[in-house]
């Protein structure tokens, strides 16, 4: 690390050129191969809906294969039978049907179409069936083409429904997070350069990481939402990692080191912690590959790549930037401070989609910078803050206050986290339907029109495939159709539709009867009485599979599968829900082992695992209260619904990695003080005082970066943003500032107890670089100044690496 830091610092132009060249190469290649190919296909290894989907694709490919698609919903007070309305809409349906891999069933097509017109005759819908092989990127583009082709018909509202046909504007939420990060960093450190470097490094890492994900999308199944999740995580960890290193660099300057030695010291101490924390996040993300699902694996790979690239930027690009800044990082002029504030306002305007704010603030920032070279008040330096003695800092006094009443602090912290976690007991995994889309979207408007005119179940029909039954299959299928219509929770049944029907002709009753005699597979559309995301719809699916269908088909030889978009997402949620506990156990076991190796302790990692469970449980509880129960729904522009099945797993992997940042950064300083003094009480207060400012600033940035994604249109992005913001906030406050000092006070020296036989068996990981001062291969970061790790009042004293006592 010392040699890498010195090389990057001394060859700063080469490092910057390599990063620019890498970015140009990645995006040029991406452009040359036609851009990214994102998709969002759920892959179920084995389930009833998977079996039914196979039947759909094999037997009903001409009717749309996978059963995915959408609808065109229109309503008019004149009635849909009005000649002008009918003529315009028929021409529109023909135009859509001419698009590749699309089949349209018009409400004007005979008896079958008549069922697509409401009882009052004012609302109707046309179904859009898509080929099963079409991916999510193509469906979004197709949806936009259908929307663009909408005709203008007087007194007629036309909306395009279906989640797969939905489109979203690219999110700009990250701009809000960057704007707040600028403010937080300036307030915390009073330096414009110290503020700008972490943001620049994070943006470079996220930018190159996004390009790398685009390239990977040509060989891996990467969901279209992966770039949003990657940007959210990459910005948070990127700013955090660079902030840790810049903070250690400034400490070196304050101790009298020259800029190069301060850079080497920072990389060989905080840089090690960054690598450890970054690789931990990468490992936890890649752990999702064990789910063996393309969608989940794609999210894990995308997040891991973004974090990895951002981590590399922190240990290579950042030292080069420090080579340009040198000791100017300690100098801030009024022109830079004012310009940075105005740029924060401009970015906030972009993120909030207020162009006037951005168009005023950005040019004004440029004017201030230019004028600052001529006007003396703007050229003047901003006075530096006086460095407080450790004993007078708020963190030091706070730690001693908590340590005086440790049991009170422990009970209060656990009770607060427990109360926040209570809603978790009612967690329901599933996929939200179009009723959770923003009310301004055509998808949501189509959903509401359909629900009002036909009932909520029309937005998510169940598809039942029927095979088998022998030579007398037709009477059995007809009997099944009648029985299905009388089941509890079923509104109506459309079908049976034989697989031998000609899709080029109108699918009316006469065509169905003519085709049934030669058919060996049939399709039913079962319309529930409840909406797709309603728990009663999930109960209907389970009841059909477990009791109703086995009873109705007993002795008939019929083989029935329940499939369709609603059933597939239900099975997807069930599959993940059954495997999440095993995934969490693996991640927690990994965290325990890593912390045990780093800190040579059994109780410290055990406490970390338990506290991690408490904080993530509380964050889950907040997610359930807001997104499932609907608390503050009007404020966030959402309606209550199930929690996306992959969110608990993704959140846990991310929060686990982020909490390791703070855990390593805080406890390594506490252990260092304990090794020096042997005082278990004082070492906690000293370690907290040394790290509180950077942890607080880093956590504040994480909270605002993640929280800014609450402004995004996608419900799942809002969930990630709120969940991660709450988890980081709780981890940096209740856990790090309350439970950690209190529990360490109660355990005293037992915190660092470690069996000798185990100490000899496991390897040593020197995260904080305590040994680098003695083994630097000729590079001496401490040259020219006193090093806080290598010297004490009595002279140079070797500091323990974690494997020996101080």
């Amino acid at each position: 690390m010392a040699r890498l830091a010195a090389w990057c610092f001394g060859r700063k132009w080469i490092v910057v050129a390599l990063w620019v060249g890498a970015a140009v190469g990645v995006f040029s290649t991406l452009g040359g191969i036609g851009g990214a190919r994102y998709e969002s296909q759920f892959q179920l290894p084995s389930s009833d809906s998977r079996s039914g989907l196979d039947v759909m694709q094999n037997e009903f490919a001409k009717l749309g294969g996978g059963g995915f698609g959408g609808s065109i919903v229109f309503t008019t007070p004149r009635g849909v039978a009005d000649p002008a309305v009918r003529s315009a809409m028929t021409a529109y349906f023909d135009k859509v049907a001419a698009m590749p891999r699309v089949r349209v069933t018009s409400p004007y097509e005979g008896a079958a179409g008549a069922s697509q017109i409401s009882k009052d005759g004012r609302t109707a819908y046309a179904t859009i069936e898509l080929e099963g092989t079409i991916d999510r990127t193509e469906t979004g583009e197709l949806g936009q083409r259908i929307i663009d082709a909408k005709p203008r018909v007087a007194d007629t509202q036309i909306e395009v429904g279906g989640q797969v046909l939905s489109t979203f504007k690219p999110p700009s939420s990250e701009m809000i997070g960057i704007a707040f990060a600028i403010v937080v960093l300036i307030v915390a450190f009073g330096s414009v350069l110290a503020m700008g470097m972490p943001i620049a490094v994070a943006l470079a890492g996220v930018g190159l990481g996004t390009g790398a994900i685009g390239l990977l999308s040509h060989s891996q199944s990467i969901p279209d939402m992966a770039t949003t999740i990657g940007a959210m995580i990459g910005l948070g960890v990127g700013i955090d990692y660079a902030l840790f290193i810049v903070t250690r660099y400034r400490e070196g300057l304050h101790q009298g080191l020259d800029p190069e030695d301060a850079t080497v010291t920072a990389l060989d101490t905080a840089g090690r912690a960054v690598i450890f924390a970054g690789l931990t996040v990468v490992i936890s993300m890649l752990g999702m590959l064990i789910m063996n699902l393309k969608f989940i694996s794609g999210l894990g790979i995308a997040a891991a790549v973004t974090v990895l690239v951002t981590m590399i930027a922190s240990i290579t690009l950042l030292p080069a930037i420090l080579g340009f800044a040198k000791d100017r990082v300690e100098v801030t002029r009024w022109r830079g401070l004012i310009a940075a504030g105005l740029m924060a306002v401009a970015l906030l305007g972009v993120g909030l989609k207020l162009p006037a704010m951005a168009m005023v603030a950005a040019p004004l920032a440029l004017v201030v910078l230019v004028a600052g070279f001529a006007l003396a008040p703007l050229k003047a330096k901003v006075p530096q803050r006086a460095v407080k003695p450790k004993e007078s800092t708020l963190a030091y006094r706070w730690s001693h206050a908590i340590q005086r009443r440790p049991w009170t602090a422990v009970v209060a912290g656990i009770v607060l986290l427990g109360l926040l976690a209570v809603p978790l007991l009612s967690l329901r995994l599933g996929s939200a339907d179009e009723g959770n889309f923003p009310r301004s979207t055509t998808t949501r408007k189509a959903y509401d029109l359909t629900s009002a005119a036909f009932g909520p179940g029309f937005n998510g029909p169940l598809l039942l495939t029927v095979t088998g039954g022998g030579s007398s299959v037709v009477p059995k299928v007809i009997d099944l159709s009648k029985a299905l219509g009388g089941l509890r929770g079923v509104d109506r049944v459309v079908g049976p539709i034989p697989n031998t029907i000609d899709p080029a002709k109108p699918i009316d009753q006469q065509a169905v009867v003519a085709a049934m005699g030669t058919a060996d597979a049939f399709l039913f559309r079962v319309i529930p009485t409840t909406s797709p995301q309603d728990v009663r719809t999930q109960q209907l699916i389970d009841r059909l599979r477990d009791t109703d269908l086995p009873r109705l088909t007993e002795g008939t030889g019929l083989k029935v599968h329940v499939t369709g978009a609603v059933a597939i997402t239900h099975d997807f949620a069930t599959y993940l829900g059954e495997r999440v506990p095993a995934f969490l156990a693996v991640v927690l076991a990994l965290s325990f082992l890593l912390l045990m190796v780093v800190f040579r302790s059994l109780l410290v990692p055990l406490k970390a695992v338990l506290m991690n469970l408490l904080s993530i449980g509380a964050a889950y509880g907040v997610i359930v209260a807001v997104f499932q129960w609907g608390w503050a729904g009007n404020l966030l522009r959402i309606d209550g619904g199930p929690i996306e099945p992959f969110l608990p797993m993704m959140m846990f992997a991310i929060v686990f990695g982020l909490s390791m940042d703070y855990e390593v950064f805080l406890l390594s300083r506490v252990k260092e003080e304990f090794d020096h003094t042997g005082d278990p009480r004082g070492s906690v207060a000293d370690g907290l005082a040394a790290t509180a400012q950077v942890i607080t600033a880093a956590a504040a940035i994480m909270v605002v970066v993640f929280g800014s994604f609450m402004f995004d249109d996608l419900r799942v992005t809002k969930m990630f943003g709120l969940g991660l913001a709450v988890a980081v906030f709780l981890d940096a406050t209740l856990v790090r500032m309350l439970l950690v000092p209190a529990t360490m006070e109660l355990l005293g020296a037992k915190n660092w107890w470690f069996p000798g036989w185990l100490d000899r068996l496991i390897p040593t990981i020197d995260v904080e670089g305590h040994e680098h001062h003695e083994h630097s291969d000729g590079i001496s970061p401490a040259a020219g100044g006193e090093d806080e790790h290598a010297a004490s009042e009595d002279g140079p004293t070797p500091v323990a690496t974690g494997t020996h006592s101080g």
Side-chain angles (χ1 to χ4, degrees):
M1 288 302 294
R3 289 193 294 272
L4 175 65
W7 192 91
C8 293
F9 185 95
R11 294 166 178 80
K12 49 187 178 290
W13 286 109
I14 295 177
V15 174
V16 171
L18 288 173
W19 271 90
V20 172
V24 171
V26 166
F27 285 102
S28 296
T29 304
L30 190 59
I33 58 177
R37 293 187 59 84
Y38 299 119
E39 59 182 72
S40 292
Q41 293 181 345
F42 293 140
Q43 175 209 11
L44 294 175
S46 177
S47 67
D48 187 54
S49 58
R50 175 73 259 178
S51 300
L53 190 59
D54 290 340
V55 175
M56 288 285 297
Q57 293 171 342
N58 294 330
E59 304 293 343
F60 297 92
K62 294 180 180 179
L63 293 178
F68 292 101
S71 61
I72 298 173
V73 189
F74 59 105
T75 183
T76 174
R78 292 185 288 169
V80 298
D82 180 84
V85 174
R86 177 169 183 151
S87 176
M89 294 307 299
T90 300
Y92 178 36
F93 299 148
D94 291 341
K95 186 182 295 186
V96 174
M99 296 179 184
R101 293 191 284 181
V102 174
R103 173 180 168 79
V104 177
T105 302
S106 167
Y108 301 117
E109 292 182 6
S115 64
Q116 298 169 206
I117 300 176
S118 64
K119 293 180 180 179
D120 63 8
R122 295 182 178 181
T123 304
Y125 69 91
T127 61
I128 301 174
E129 295 285 351
L130 307 178
E131 287 187 9
T133 56
I134 193 168
D135 67 33
R136 183 63 179 88
T137 302
E138 294 174 295
T139 61
E141 295 170 352
L142 180 61
Q144 189 60 56
R145 290 177 59 191
I146 295 173
I147 293 171
D148 294 340
K150 285 196 305 184
R152 294 182 180 273
V153 186
D155 300 325
T156 303
Q157 180 184 357
I158 306 171
E159 306 295 347
V160 178
Q163 189 162 346
V164 297
L165 297 177
S166 62
T167 58
F168 282 94
K169 296 179 180 178
S172 53
S173 309
E174 60 270 19
M175 297 301 175
I176 301 174
I178 295 172
F180 278 105
I182 290 174
V183 175
V184 170
L185 286 171
I186 290 179
V187 170
F189 297 104
S191 168
V192 172
L193 270 178
M195 169 275 298
M197 285 187 286
I199 293 176
V201 169
L203 288 176
V206 169
L208 190 57
T210 300
I213 294 171
L215 290 178
L216 278 174
S217 69
H218 286 264
S219 60
Q220 300 286 332
S221 178
I222 304 291
D224 52 354
M225 63 178 292
T227 53
T228 302
I229 302 299
M232 182 192 308
I233 300 169
L235 280 177
V237 301
I239 292 175
D240 254 14
Y241 295 163
L243 181 59
F244 290 160
I245 294 172
V246 171
T247 299
R248 204 62 180 243
Y249 170 79
R250 296 182 74 193
E251 286 181 9
L253 294 181
H254 296 164
Q255 295 163 9
L257 299 181
D258 64 44
E260 182 174 359
D261 290 340
T263 301
V264 172
T265 300
L267 261 291
D268 207 25
T269 53
R272 292 172 181 249
V274 163
I275 291 177
F276 178 78
L279 291 179
T280 300
V281 178
V282 169
I283 291 170
S284 62
M285 289 297 172
L286 294 180
M288 291 189 291
L289 294 175
I290 64 176
M291 291 294 179
N292 197 30
L293 291 175
K294 288 183 179 180
F295 182 84
I296 297 299
S297 298
L299 284 177
I301 290 171
V305 167
T306 306
V307 171
L308 181 62
V309 174
T310 305
M311 181 198 74
I312 293 172
S314 299
I315 60 173
T316 58
L317 183 59
L318 181 56
I321 295 176
L322 290 173
F324 288 105
K326 296 184 179 177
D327 53 8
R328 288 192 297 275
V329 74
E330 295 297 304
V331 178
T332 297
R333 301 185 188 275
W334 285 108
R335 65 187 179 215
L337 187 62
I338 297 172
L342 289 170
M343 284 306 301
V345 173
L347 291 171
L348 188 62
V350 173
L352 295 176
K353 298 182 175 67
L354 299 173
M357 181 188 297
M359 291 175 65
V360 171
L364 194 56
L366 182 61
V367 169
V368 169
L369 278 178
V370 174
F373 289 96
L375 299 177
L378 294 177
K379 291 170 61 177
K381 295 180 181 180
V382 178
Q384 291 188 2
R385 301 170 185 169
V387 179
K388 292 182 179 180
K390 178 176 58 179
E391 291 76 11
S392 63
T393 62
L394 177 62
Y396 185 88
R397 297 196 302 270
W398 171 264
S399 181
H400 277 288
I402 295 299
Q403 289 174 280
R404 282 194 291 270
R405 297 177 179 83
W407 280 112
T408 302
V410 169
V411 172
I414 292 176
V415 168
L416 283 173
L417 291 173
L419 288 174
L420 290 174
V422 167
L424 177 60
L425 299 176
S426 63
L427 172 68
R428 181 165 68 92
L429 297 178
S431 295
D433 59 26
E434 290 94 331
N436 285 103
F437 275 54
R439 298 181 186 275
S440 59
T441 61
T442 186
T443 307
R444 175 61 182 273
K445 292 175 182 177
Y447 178 94
D448 291 339
L449 286 176
T450 304
S451 295
F454 301 96
F458 268 80
N459 287 293
L462 305 178
L463 303 180
L464 271 61
T465 62
V466 182
T467 55
S471 57
S472 58
V473 65
V474 174
K476 298 175 183 178
V477 171
I478 293 175
D479 290 342
L480 177 62
S481 176
K482 296 176 182 178
L484 286 172
L487 293 177
R488 176 166 54 92
V490 175
D491 185 349
R492 71 180 72 177
V493 178
V494 179
I497 301 174
N499 64 334
T500 51
I501 199 164
D502 186 357
K505 299 178 180 179
I507 304 178
D508 52 23
Q509 188 64 31
Q510 183 178 357
V512 169
V513 173
M516 286 189 71
T518 57
D520 56 5
F522 301 86
L523 176 67
F524 289 99
R525 291 181 180 274
V526 177
I527 311 299
T529 58
T530 50
S531 69
Q533 69 178 16
D534 195 302
V535 67
R536 289 170 293 182
T537 302
Q538 297 181 5
Q539 292 169 350
L540 173 62
I541 294 172
D542 292 334
R543 195 168 61 250
L544 282 170
R545 290 169 171 170
D546 298 339
T547 59
D548 291 338
L549 288 174
R551 174 174 54 84
L552 295 175
T553 60
E554 185 178 4
T556 65
L558 296 177
K559 190 172 184 179
V560 185
H561 297 293
V562 182
T563 187
V566 178
I568 287 173
T569 55
H570 174 57
D571 289 347
F572 182 75
T574 302
Y575 178 87
L576 288 183
E578 292 172 349
R579 286 154 180 79
V580 163
F583 173 80
L584 300 186
V586 170
V587 172
L588 289 172
L590 176 65
S591 67
F592 177 85
L593 292 174
L594 288 174
L595 288 174
M596 181 184 71
V597 172
V598 169
F599 294 112
R600 326 300 286 187
S601 167
L602 293 179
L603 292 179
V604 165
L606 179 61
K607 287 188 304 176
V609 167
L610 295 177
M611 291 176 189
N612 204 344
L613 280 175
L614 284 172
S615 61
I616 195 66
Y620 286 161
V622 173
I623 289 294
V624 171
V626 173
F627 289 92
Q628 184 175 312
W629 294 356
W631 290 8
N634 291 333
L635 178 64
L636 301 177
R637 297 183 294 124
I638 57 168
D639 295 307
I643 305 302
E644 296 295 331
F646 55 85
L647 182 128
M649 180 173 46
M650 284 285 292
M651 266 189 59
F652 195 92
I654 296 167
V655 172
F656 156 67
L658 298 181
S659 67
M660 292 290 279
D661 292 356
Y662 305 138
E663 192 80 21
V664 171
F665 202 70
L666 170 60
L667 292 183
S668 61
R669 295 300 283 264
V670 172
K671 182 65 163 62
E672 182 179 328
E673 295 295 333
F674 178 74
D675 288 338
H676 272 298
T677 64
D679 178 9
R681 179 186 179 88
S683 62
V684 174
D686 291 343
L688 198 62
T691 59
Q693 184 185 34
V694 67
I695 288 179
T696 302
I701 292 167
M702 285 278 199
V703 170
V704 296
V705 168
F706 292 148
S708 68
F709 281 81
M710 292 293 293
F711 293 95
D712 197 84
D713 284 339
L714 281 171
R715 181 175 184 265
V716 66
T717 306
K718 290 176 183 285
M719 268 196 258
F720 269 112
L722 180 63
L724 293 176
V726 170
V728 170
F729 176 79
L730 295 176
D731 192 76
T733 53
L734 290 180
V735 173
R736 302 287 162 246
M737 309 299 279
L738 191 70
L739 291 177
V740 167
T743 54
M744 295 195 81
E745 169 68 19
L746 290 172
L747 292 172
K750 295 185 182 67
N751 282 293
W752 309 111
W753 174 78
F754 200 57
W757 62 269
L758 188 57
D759 184 38
R760 291 187 294 271
L761 284 178
I762 62 176
T764 300
I765 298 179
D766 182 24
V767 173
E768 279 297 301
H770 300 141
E771 294 179 338
H772 106 280
H773 306 292
E774 294 182 274
H775 307 288
S776 58
D777 294 331
I779 298 175
S780 178
E786 183 180 350
D787 180 51
E788 62 175 340
H789 296 297
S792 67
E793 293 180 359
D794 299 323
T797 304
V799 179
T801 64
T803 55
H804 312 287
S805 299

